[in-house]
Amino acid sequence: MTNNTGEDQFNPAIEIWQQPERSPTKIKKLEKITIQIKPLTLKDSEAVYDLFSNKKVLKSYLERPIKEKSLTSGFIRRITSEGNWTWKIYQENKPESFLGICGLHHLDKKNRTIEIGGTLMPNYWGKGLMKQTFEFIIEIARKDMEINRVIAKTSTRNKQAIRLVEKLGFTITKSNETETHLLKTLTSE
């Protein structure tokens, strides 16, 4: 989203508390990590390809999202086209860092629904980053887009994603061997 000067309207910072790695003899204090999101661009092609080429990431997909490196720019164009808002997740003060992507897509204005999705590099899993990011972009959907229902779709074998959105108040509406759909109804405040 941009203002009338073409600048980003928001560059939100989301603070995450992460427990650093421990050695067997030392336990460190919790360190604060602040993440931000900004619109995904073609400049992120290399990192996006790396994300969707990662073997751990691919385990949660029924098929590979990007079949070969040369198709990455087309993939980015598709997920950032009209009716889709896709952001790069990065660490504050490190705009070159790439933790993953998140997005709102398949906007249905008539029914006031939108889908949510995201993927993180595996070394950022289990740190609460996607939960905080989803909470933030759900608020964008509710306040800025006047959405009243958010849909999440994932592979049924992606138990982490299902647990994550259930923690955010989504409920399963459909599930079969391959895909699970979840829904969250938003209230206007």
Side-chain angles (χ1 to χ4, degrees), residues 41-84:
T41 69
L42 291 175
K43 292 177 185 175
D44 301 309
S45 291
E46 186 80 28
V48 169
Y49 182 75
D50 290 346
L51 174 66
F52 289 108
S53 297
N54 185 289
K55 289 180 182 180
K56 289 182 180 177
V57 169
L58 290 174
K59 286 181 181 178
S60 21
Y61 286 87
L62 297 174
E63 60 183 54
R64 191 176 179 139
I66 305 172
K67 306 280 189 240
E68 56 187 66
K69 196 171 196 169
S70 65
L71 301 175
T72 306
S73 59
F75 175 79
I76 292 173
R77 281 187 191 96
R78 183 177 58 79
I79 67 171
T80 58
S81 64
E82 189 173 331
N84 299 294

Side-chain angles (χ1 to χ4, degrees), residues 86-105:
T86 307
W87 296 277
K88 164 187 172 177
I89 305 168
Y90 66 99
Q91 192 167 343
E92 183 180 50
N93 300 322
K94 294 183 183 179
E96 74 288 349
S97 66
F98 184 89
L99 286 62
I101 64 172
C102 63
L104 296 168
H105 51 94

Side-chain angles (χ1 to χ4, degrees), residues 79 83-86 103-108 113-118 151:
I79 67 171
N84 299 294
W85 293 265
T86 307
L104 296 168
H105 51 94
H106 295 97
L107 172 65
D108 180 341
T113 64
I114 199 160
E115 290 181 34
I116 193 168
I151 301 161

